[in-house]
Amino acid sequence: MYASIIQAQVPSDKVEAAAQLWQETIANNPPVGWQEGYLVADRGSGQVHAVALWDTETNAKAYESSGRFQQDVQQFARHLTSPPSRSTGDVLAQGRR
């Protein structure tokens, strides 16, 4: 399993709007290979993290190289105070209750 983490900053009064847009743009229309995702935010500071789990490293990296990531960022541009950063890596451990 592979993961990506996108870190972004939005104004604190735009966190809910960004979450709704993420639900509509990503969760309801997932990229190829996207298995599940979570949007985590600090409502007070506007710090947002989008965590995605992918079936393969190839699909996780293709999301960025295909141009889909850039298209999605453009849809979020009105909510962002700075460009987002994205990192990827192997999932080394997982826990569930």
Side-chain angles (χ1 to χ4, degrees), residues 3-84:
S4 63
I5 300 171
I6 299 169
Q7 185 174 5
Q9 185 69 45
V10 301
S12 59
D13 64 339
K14 300 288 186 190
V15 169
E16 296 300 328
Q20 182 177 353
L21 183 59
W22 181 86
Q23 185 69 46
E24 294 167 359
T25 305
I26 307 298
N28 292 348
N29 183 24
V32 172
W34 191 84
Q35 300 296 297
E36 63 182 299
Y38 302 90
L39 190 68
V40 181
D42 179 328
R43 287 184 172 97
S45 71
Q47 185 70 41
V48 177
H49 294 73
V51 180
L53 299 178
W54 300 84
D55 59 353
T56 65
E57 176 181 3
T58 300
N59 283 332
K61 291 187 174 182
Y63 172 61
E64 191 162 1
S65 65
S66 71
R68 168 82 192 263
F69 174 67
Q70 289 78 12
Q71 290 172 347
D72 290 343
V73 168
Q74 287 302 313
Q75 291 195 39
F76 283 88
R78 68 181 183 267
H79 298 301
L80 300 174
T81 59
S82 61

